[in-house]
Amino acid sequence: MAWLYLILAGAFEVVGVTGMNKVVKDKNLQSYIVLFMGFIISFSFLSLAMKTLPMGISYAVWTGIGTVGGVIIGMLFYGESKDWKRILFIGAILVAVVGLKLTS
């Protein structure tokens, strides 16, 4: 169950980061709600995951999911570069996260 909490924490981190981008572009109540709720839910799930999983692995996986998710959202919805090198390094992050899962 802890790994599911960790995945959800990472997914809601992406929601929070998307909210940050929305706040930069349009400072309205909805943008702030997405920002704050994304991070509140993310930290809540992260704390649940850390009751079972070690802090180092939890934080590394959480930030990896957030990083990859943020880059993918940027590429799909905000016109960020889809250069093959970016995709290669996204793959490297995913391999590292899977490696951490397999070793814990």
Side-chain angles (χ1 to χ4, degrees):
M1 196 67 170
W3 282 97
L4 176 61
Y5 290 148
L6 192 53
I7 291 167
L8 289 170
F12 279 101
E13 183 190 9
V14 174
V15 171
V17 170
T18 302
M20 270 197 284
N21 194 39
K22 289 172 66 72
V23 166
V24 168
K25 295 180 184 304
D26 188 19
K27 292 177 178 31
N28 61 26
L29 182 61
Q30 179 187 1
S31 299
Y32 282 102
I33 290 171
V34 171
L35 167 70
F36 289 118
M37 291 308 295
F39 283 122
I40 288 169
I41 295 169
S42 176
F43 285 124
S44 297
F45 278 121
L46 180 61
S47 69
L48 289 172
M50 289 177 64
K51 289 181 179 182
T52 306
L53 298 172
M55 178 199 62
I57 288 177
S58 298
Y59 184 70
V61 171
W62 178 69
T63 57
I65 293 169
T67 301
V68 169
V71 170
I72 290 172
I73 294 295
M75 289 190 313
L76 293 177
F77 299 106
Y78 297 104
E80 293 182 9
S81 169
K82 296 176 181 83
D83 184 59
W84 69 269
K85 290 177 264 184
R86 291 184 91 195
I87 295 169
L88 174 72
F89 289 115
I90 288 171
I93 293 170
L94 292 174
V95 166
V97 167
V98 170
L100 286 172
K101 164 69 171 113
L102 294 175
T103 60
S104 65

